[in-house]
Amino acid sequence: MSEIEKKVEGLSLADIPAGAVFVDGDKGKDEAGRGGKDAPYETAGFAVYSSGEATPIVIVKDGQMDLISASALKKAKKNADGIAKKVEKAAKAAEQQAAKDAEEAKKVEASKNIVIKEDPSLPKATKIKLRNVAAHKNTRVKVQGWIHRLRSQKGLVFIVLRDGTGYLQCVLSGDLANAYSTSQLTMESTIALSGQLSPVPEGKSAPGGVELAADYYEIIGLAPAGDESITNKVQEGADPSILLDQRHLALRGETLSAVMKVRASLLRAIRQVYDEEGLTEVTPPCMVQTQVEGGSTLFGLKYYGEEAFLTQSSQLYLETCCPALGDVYCIQESFRAERSHTRRHLSEYTHIEAELAFLTFDDMLDHIEKVLVETVKKVLEDPIAGPLVEQLNPGFQAPERPFLRMDYISALDWLNEHGIPNEEGEKFKFGDDIAEAAERKMTDTIGRPIFLTRFPLEIKSFYMKKCADDERVTESVDVLMPNVGEITGGSMRIDDLDELLAGFKREGIDPSAYYWFSDQRKYGTYPHGGYGLGTERILAWLCDRFTVRDCSLYPRFTGRCKP
């Protein structure tokens, strides 16, 4: 005999009223229970709801049975009323949902019958890029691009179209809004739309202050929805490594695409400045067999059985061009195998380099200053890049001449006076390299561009010319900008052959591979100097980006060489 059949507290199985239902709070199940002793309900309220108020209820607890008390029955009846109301509400909601689904299905079927056709009586649409919308107001145009944003509202569908040159709000109404194909549109789908370009209604806003009232569209390519949708692939606030894996999609975002447009303007502007200054552009090789900035940061490769490297800098080759072409520059990739995980280092970056003949160190500083000031001025005056810089870096102040000029020794004094230690946590002393953190602290505190000059011989490259008044230091310069630090490094070059050979010896470099470089001092030596600008660092400063990785199309750094 089971426990439930035992006589407990004067109530035995024989005493149980006919038709009674059982309730067991520990073992019972409301939805699955049937009320029998082997399948009891969990709650008395559900027992009353399922079996009716007149049905006797037996409460089972810890193997003991008893009839439900009057007070518990009263509470159970109240709970049963609540359950009944919930069931009724759920049934009504299900009925309404079914009606809604049926109506929606009816609409979908009706939408499938809508055929989108272009009205032949309309004027022929002029095909334009979105950058030109302002010139085509109140005309019928055809635009093509990617759906950047998409929303439906009161029988209208609003699409923000992107074609890489700009953004345009397009409005679908009537059959265009109700067509089945419209319901299938997704973000990043490509479409072509035709319609009238008009100013947006008063009190409304849209990119460029105009919108397209579409009268026809065609789908070129649908992008995935669901798990594969762009919003799942590229989520705001996602881990940076995930966004870098999806860089090809992240580039479509407004911020990264804006930085790339400013980048294009910067390179265009600096070419214009160099042209105005009489410099000639050249394209040196990227595969080399010599070093410029130290052997530890070279990327090696096999070149038809010989050892070769990716260039760290085009400087040495630029120097060979001056006697043939005069002042020269190049805009080319440089590669440095630095295991640096700082926000201003890349393994591959776009290097803007220049070499100039027959000038003094002060002449070179004046030239660098002019190039930077005039280039930034042109970027800010650019009708596309200028507003983007303001959008990315509100309140950006263009640099003005003259820059502050501070030599290395004075910088050490400044750092020591302001309690900023060297990398060993001690006061700076002559010969210390000024690390990024200290350099940034000084630059940000001073708050203006700085020419930091005359670095010690031992912490600079073998080709840098010594200062005539102090042979411990070189005619070298770093240009420091607030919020980003060093963006430019340069120097006067050694023009004496014996001094250059001594520099090779000091650095332990075999001069034989550099015969073509040394010959510049043999076949008509001349005073000359040059510098290199990091494109990504300038952009980080211009666009207020935390890291130079945001300023490269597909950044390459330690551990990252994809996609």
Side-chain angles (χ1 to χ4, degrees):
M1 183 180 291
S2 66
E3 284 191 50
I4 201 167
E5 293 173 310
K6 293 177 183 177
K7 183 177 180 182
V8 184
E9 295 185 355
L11 184 64
S12 68
L13 199 59
D15 298 324
I16 295 173
V21 294
F22 292 80
V23 173
D24 187 330
D26 295 324
K27 299 177 182 178
K29 300 289 184 184
D30 280 343
E31 300 294 341
R34 298 188 302 276
K37 67 177 184 298
D38 296 322
Y41 294 120
E42 181 181 1
T43 64
F46 197 85
V48 173
Y49 166 74
S50 298
S51 305
E53 295 183 9
T55 303
I57 296 174
V58 176
I59 305 298
V60 181
K61 186 173 178 61
D62 299 328
Q64 300 174 354
M65 296 185 300
D66 206 349
L67 288 172
I68 190 169
S69 67
S71 60
L73 180 60
K74 184 178 180 181
K75 184 177 179 181
K77 290 177 179 179
K78 185 176 181 181
N79 289 341
D81 290 342
I83 294 171
K85 288 177 182 178
K86 284 182 181 179
V87 170
E88 184 182 358
K89 185 177 180 181
K92 188 174 182 181
E95 184 181 343
Q96 290 174 340
Q97 186 61 46
K100 187 177 179 181
D101 290 346
E103 183 64 25
E104 189 62 32
K106 186 177 178 182
K107 286 182 180 178
V108 168
E109 287 304 311
S111 71
K112 290 179 179 179
N113 294 324
I114 297 174
V115 179
I116 297 176
K117 291 182 179 179
E118 188 167 14
D119 186 345
S121 67
L122 292 172
K124 182 177 174 58
T126 304
K127 185 178 173 182
I128 66 167
K129 293 286 188 181
L130 298 187
R131 65 171 176 263
N132 297 321
V133 292
H136 291 82
K137 288 181 182 177
N138 301 314
T139 58
R140 187 169 185 262
V141 298
K142 179 179 180 180
V143 293
Q144 301 169 100
W146 292 261
I147 296 178
H148 190 65
R149 293 195 190 92
L150 177 67
R151 65 184 175 91
S152 299
Q153 180 182 323
K154 297 179 181 177
L156 300 174
V157 174
F158 296 89
I159 292 172
V160 174
L161 193 71
R162 182 191 75 244
D163 73 349
T165 73
Y167 301 87
L168 175 65
Q169 179 168 283
C170 307
V171 184
L172 309 184
S173 60
D175 280 355
L176 292 187
N178 296 325
Y180 180 75
S181 58
T182 303
S183 69
Q184 302 304 297
L185 292 177
T186 53
M187 284 176 61
E188 294 306 319
S189 293
T190 41
I191 58 174
L193 303 104
S194 299
Q196 187 85 357
L197 264 181
S198 305
V200 294
E202 191 174 344
K204 304 291 183 180
S205 63
V210 295
E211 65 181 13
L212 180 84
D215 55 54
Y216 175 71
Y217 82 84
E218 53 187 320
I219 297 172
I220 299 169
L222 279 177
D227 291 343
E228 287 293 302
S229 69
I230 185 96
T231 51
N232 281 332
K233 286 282 189 177
V234 182
Q235 296 182 14
E236 188 176 349
D239 185 275
S241 64
I242 294 175
L243 294 178
L244 285 169
D245 287 342
Q246 302 297 328
R247 187 72 164 188
H248 59 296
L249 298 177
L251 283 169
R252 302 181 181 203
E254 292 176 26
T255 298
L256 269 180
S257 63
V259 173
M260 293 304 119
K261 288 176 182 178
V262 176
R263 180 187 175 102
S265 175
L266 171 69
L267 296 177
R268 184 167 59 248
I270 202 163
R271 281 188 166 98
Q272 291 173 349
V273 172
Y274 281 144
D275 187 55
E276 292 165 4
E277 292 298 302
L279 278 70
T280 299
E281 184 172 9
V282 294
T283 51
C286 283
M287 292 181 288
V288 301
Q289 292 185 307
T290 52
Q291 68 181 56
V292 182
E293 298 295 337
S296 64
T297 65
L298 285 167
F299 281 109
L301 64 140
K302 289 297 179 183
Y303 187 75
Y304 302 109
E306 293 185 67
E307 186 179 38
F309 312 99
L310 295 176
T311 185
Q312 300 162 311
S313 165
S314 297
Q315 175 206 319
L316 305 190
Y317 293 95
L318 289 177
E319 288 189 45
T320 69
C321 296
C322 289
L325 302 171
D327 299 340
V328 293
Y329 77 96
C330 72
I331 299 177
Q332 196 153 294
E333 301 307 289
S334 284
F335 306 85
R336 297 191 182 177
E338 294 179 287
R339 294 192 176 276
S340 299
H341 286 279
T342 74
R343 56 180 174 165
R344 67 176 192 173
H345 281 92
L346 291 168
S347 297
E348 176 187 10
Y349 64 98
T350 303
H351 211 170
I352 303 168
E353 298 182 88
E355 288 292 322
L356 302 99
F358 302 108
L359 80 170
T360 66
F361 185 48
D362 284 336
D363 290 338
M364 188 177 72
L365 297 184
D366 290 341
H367 164 82
I368 294 173
E369 192 175 66
K370 184 174 183 180
V371 167
L372 288 171
V373 169
E374 291 302 312
T375 298
V376 171
K377 181 182 177 184
K378 288 182 184 296
V379 171
L380 297 180
E381 290 173 348
D382 185 288
I384 294 173
L388 290 176
V389 171
E390 176 60 28
Q391 173 187 314
L392 295 164
N393 192 2
F396 172 77
Q397 294 295 315
E400 296 181 355
R401 304 171 71 181
F403 293 177
L404 175 65
R405 302 192 181 192
M406 174 188 287
D407 64 23
Y408 167 84
I409 294 173
S410 298
L412 297 189
D413 292 340
W414 190 98
L415 292 165
N416 288 333
E417 288 169 6
H418 287 78
I420 300 172
N422 64 13
E423 289 193 288
E424 286 74 43
E426 302 171 353
K427 282 193 170 186
F428 278 94
K429 58 186 181 300
F430 187 86
D432 286 347
D433 194 8
I434 302 175
E436 178 190 0
E439 181 185 86
R440 284 286 304 275
K441 181 71 174 174
M442 179 179 72
T443 309
D444 291 352
T445 301
I446 292 172
R448 57 181 289 203
I450 300 172
F451 277 137
L452 189 57
T453 63
R454 295 167 62 98
F455 289 89
L457 186 68
E458 59 265 30
I459 64 173
K460 284 297 180 181
S461 298
F462 68 88
Y463 52 77
M464 294 189 177
K465 189 177 180 64
K466 297 175 186 175
C467 291
D469 62 341
D470 184 352
E471 292 199 347
R472 298 179 305 159
V473 297
T474 55
E475 290 188 324
S476 53
V477 61
D478 283 352
V479 181
L480 311 179
M481 288 292 180
N483 301 319
V484 71
E486 180 194 346
I487 62 169
T488 305
S491 75
M492 294 299 289
R493 317 307 193 189
I494 293 173
D495 53 39
D496 178 82
L497 180 58
D498 291 336
E499 188 180 344
L500 179 63
L501 293 174
F504 282 131
K505 185 177 180 179
R506 185 179 70 247
E507 297 297 328
I509 298 172
D510 180 1
S512 61
Y514 295 80
Y515 71 92
W516 51 274
F517 179 66
S518 302
D519 275 357
Q520 304 307 308
R521 284 79 183 163
K522 185 188 294 186
Y523 293 91
T525 191
Y526 60 99
H528 62 288
Y531 57 91
L533 295 82
T535 301
E536 291 78 13
R537 289 190 183 182
I538 295 176
L539 283 167
W541 165 57
L542 265 177
C543 300
D544 191 28
R545 298 299 93 191
F546 178 75
T547 170
V548 292
R549 297 174 188 179
D550 290 341
C551 304
S552 173
L553 191 66
Y554 285 95
R556 300 293 187 244
F557 51 92
T558 306
R560 168 67 59 176
C561 196
K562 65 177 184 181

